[in-house]
Amino acid sequence: MKSILLDYELLLGSASPRRHELLYLMNLPYRVVKLHVDESYPPELVRQEIPEYLSRKKALAYFKNLHPNEILITADTIVWHKDHPLEKPRKREEAIEMLRELSCQWHQVYTGVTLSHPKLQTTFSVCTDVFFEQLNDEEIEFYVDDYKPFDKAGSYGMQEWLGIVKVREIKGSYTNVVGLPTAELYKNLKQFIALIRKLEDEEAE
C-alpha cells in the first residue's frame, strides 16, 4: 500500500485517537490536520446520510488548503437505534439513559468516510449491527464514571470495558464500530488513487 502512496501524502482530519490508531495499524504513513467544524446536520437526514453528510462537511472545512499531492480522509460515526440517532452525550445522565436504551437491543453503527483531493472527492459508508447483553444500572454507572464516554456516539467504545464484556454479537465490520471501516477504506483508497492518476495522465496528454 505504501508504494501507491509514494506520490501522495495522506492527511487525517480527525482528533479521534481511535481513528489515529486504526490508520497506524493499516501501516499507512499519515499526518493529522486540525478541523473546526460545526457538527450540525439537516434534521431530515437518517441513518448513513448523517455521517456521510458530516464527513463531507469536515472535508469542506479543509478543502481549500489541499495541495495536489495530498489526500484528505475525514469520517464521522453515529449510533442509530429505533429510528433515531444516539449522538455524543452531553452529560452523565444522558450517557446513562443511552446505555439503558441499548440494553438487550440490536442497534446500528454507521461510519461515513470522505476521501478528498483537489481533483476528486468520494464518500462511502459502512453499517455494522451490534447487540448488547442486558446492562444493569451498576454496570452502566461504573462504565460511565470510570471511562467517561462523552466523546463517543452512543456513549460507548467498542474497544473499552463495556464493549469487551457486554457486546454479545456483531454483524459486519468491527473496526467500523471503533470509528473507521479499515477494509472498506483500504479498497476505496486504492480505487481513489487510481482515478486521480488517470485524471492526471489525461491532463498531461
Side-chain angles (χ1 to χ4, degrees):
M1 188 63 180
K2 287 182 180 179
S3 62
I4 68 171
L5 281 172
L6 285 177
D7 299 329
Y8 303 99
E9 182 179 12
L10 206 56
L11 309 181
L12 176 62
S14 175
S16 166
R18 281 85 59 189
R19 294 194 181 112
H20 295 186
E21 182 179 8
L22 289 171
L23 202 54
Y24 172 79
L25 290 172
M26 291 177 71
N27 200 23
L28 296 175
Y30 69 96
R31 175 166 59 89
V32 175
V33 294
K34 293 183 179 180
L35 304 177
H36 302 284
V37 180
D38 168 23
E39 296 191 14
S40 61
Y41 54 85
E44 66 271 17
L45 298 184
V46 297
R47 298 181 177 84
Q48 74 275 8
E49 295 172 351
I50 298 171
E52 288 181 0
Y53 174 89
L54 290 174
S55 71
R56 287 191 294 267
K57 192 174 185 180
K58 292 174 182 180
L60 183 62
Y62 191 83
F63 194 80
K64 65 180 183 296
N65 300 313
L66 269 180
H67 294 169
N69 68 326
E70 294 176 336
I71 296 172
L72 174 67
I73 301 172
T74 50
D76 192 82
T77 300
I78 69 157
V79 169
W80 185 266
H81 183 242
K82 292 187 176 179
D83 296 323
H84 69 279
L86 297 180
E87 299 173 348
K88 297 173 184 177
R90 290 165 291 185
K91 55 186 179 180
R92 179 179 185 270
E93 292 73 20
E94 190 173 355
I96 289 171
E97 284 306 312
M98 282 188 193
L99 294 175
R100 284 174 178 160
E101 181 178 339
L102 294 177
S103 178
C104 290
Q105 297 283 324
W106 282 99
H107 64 273
Q108 290 71 49
V109 178
Y110 292 96
T111 299
V113 180
T114 294
L115 303 177
S116 301
H117 178 269
K119 297 181 184 297
L120 191 66
Q121 186 177 80
T122 188
T123 299
F124 65 93
S125 58
V126 173
C127 176
T128 303
D129 293 307
V130 181
F131 185 85
F132 268 118
E133 296 280 6
Q134 182 174 356
L135 308 174
N136 63 44
D137 282 352
E138 181 183 0
E139 293 164 336
I140 290 172
E141 291 175 12
F142 162 74
Y143 175 71
V144 171
D145 291 339
D146 276 46
Y147 290 83
K148 302 186 182 343
F150 305 112
D151 63 336
K152 297 176 179 67
S155 304
Y156 77 93
M158 185 71 165
Q159 73 285 3
E160 294 179 343
W161 180 82
L162 197 70
I164 297 298
V165 304
K166 283 294 184 175
V167 170
R168 187 179 77 188
E169 187 176 355
I170 69 169
K171 297 177 182 178
S173 167
Y174 167 82
T175 62
N176 181 56
V177 186
V178 179
L180 198 63
T182 50
E184 286 295 315
L185 174 59
Y186 181 78
K187 179 181 74 175
N188 279 271
L189 189 56
K190 288 200 297 182
Q191 294 172 348
F192 188 72
I193 292 172
L195 285 172
I196 295 171
R197 291 189 188 277
K198 182 179 179 182
L199 289 172
E200 291 174 339
D201 290 343
E202 289 174 352
E203 289 181 357
E205 291 177 355

